[in-house]
């Protein structure tokens, strides 16, 4: 698995200050994608165990961070490897909230319990799901690019029988 970007601090890819890792590789190929270079699974740098540990150590040392966001590409095309990284993360930051972006829908990801995609979803707290649709582009929406995309509370949704939309923290 390769990463094609890492931001130690960002306020654009989820609530609060977040570290963001962009995983290489996507087969959705959404027209109007903001970064089609990320479609290539070989783009960027290898996400070695050493590099994973460096990033985890950086996150652990930063008291300003509210969590991690996995973006892409699409992390679900490298679900097994992304799960491995999150297991490494959980050894150091067991309660660190993880948001994840995908072109898949929540329903597609939960169709096969126990699949690598389902396992990755279950390791995260919030998913922004759905392909980017250029005709539905809306730059006023928080944390997403088109109005078909949803921000979903994963634990609440998995605990029930319907999708539960994420609600921002009340200050």
């Amino acid at each position: 698995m390769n990463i094609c970007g890492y931001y130690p601090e960002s306020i654009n890819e989820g609530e609060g200050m977040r570290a963001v890792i962009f995983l290489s590789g996507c087969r959705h190929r959404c027209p109007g994608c903001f970064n089609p270079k990320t479609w290539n699974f070989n783009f960027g740098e290898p996400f070695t165990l050493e590099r994973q540990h460096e990033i985890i150590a950086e996150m652990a040392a930063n008291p300003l961070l509210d969590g991690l966001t996995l973006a892409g590409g699409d992390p679900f095309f490298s679900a097994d490897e992304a799960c491995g990284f999150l297991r490494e993360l959980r050894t150091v930051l067991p309660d660190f909230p993880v948001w994840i972006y995908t072109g898949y829908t929540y329903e597609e990801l939960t169709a096969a319990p126990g699949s690598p995609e389902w396992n990755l979803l279950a390791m995260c707290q919030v998913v922004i799901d759905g392909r980017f649709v250029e005709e539905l582009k809306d730059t006023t929406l928080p944390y997403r690019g088109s109005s078909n995309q949803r921000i979903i509370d994963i634990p609440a949704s998995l605990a029930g029988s319907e999708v539960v939309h994420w609600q921002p923290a009340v200050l």
Side-chain angles (χ1 to χ4, degrees):
M1 174 173 71
N2 279 12
I3 61 170
C4 51
Y6 165 59
Y7 297 156
E9 295 179 345
S10 175
I11 58 169
N12 296 317
E13 293 84 14
E15 185 173 54
M17 180 76 70
R18 311 186 70 73
V20 183
I21 298 172
F22 295 88
L23 302 179
S24 300
C26 184
R27 293 188 185 100
H28 297 303
R29 300 183 178 272
C30 301
C33 174
F34 79 98
N35 198 354
K37 292 186 288 189
T38 65
W39 298 351
N40 182 341
F41 286 83
N42 296 315
F43 183 64
E45 66 175 290
F47 200 30
T48 63
L49 192 57
E50 179 182 355
R51 184 69 173 124
Q52 292 177 33
H53 289 169
E54 288 172 4
I55 290 173
I56 292 168
E58 266 187 51
M59 288 188 290
N62 187 342
L64 300 176
L65 289 180
D66 296 301
L68 165 70
T69 298
L70 294 179
D74 189 326
F76 287 92
F77 284 108
S78 302
D80 278 332
E81 295 92 340
C83 281
F85 169 68
L86 291 182
R87 281 191 288 277
E88 293 291 326
L89 174 75
R90 296 288 181 224
T91 64
V92 177
L93 297 165
D95 300 316
F96 208 55
V98 177
W99 285 39
I100 192 164
Y101 281 80
T102 184
Y104 289 109
T105 64
Y106 175 84
E107 292 78 9
E108 290 170 319
L109 295 171
T110 56
S115 69
E117 295 78 14
W118 191 95
N119 292 335
L120 177 57
L121 185 74
M123 294 179 83
C124 301
Q125 283 63 55
V126 174
V127 63
I128 293 86
D129 80 334
R131 293 181 181 186
F132 172 76
V133 177
E134 196 165 18
E135 295 79 22
L136 300 175
K137 181 178 179 178
D138 185 344
T139 58
T140 67
L141 297 171
Y143 313 127
R144 57 199 191 269
S146 58
S147 60
N148 63 299
Q149 296 171 314
R150 303 174 293 181
I151 306 175
I152 297 171
D153 181 321
I154 298 167
S157 296
L158 289 176
S161 59
E162 61 185 46
V163 169
V164 177
H165 292 269
W166 169 82
Q167 298 296 316
V170 178
L171 298 176

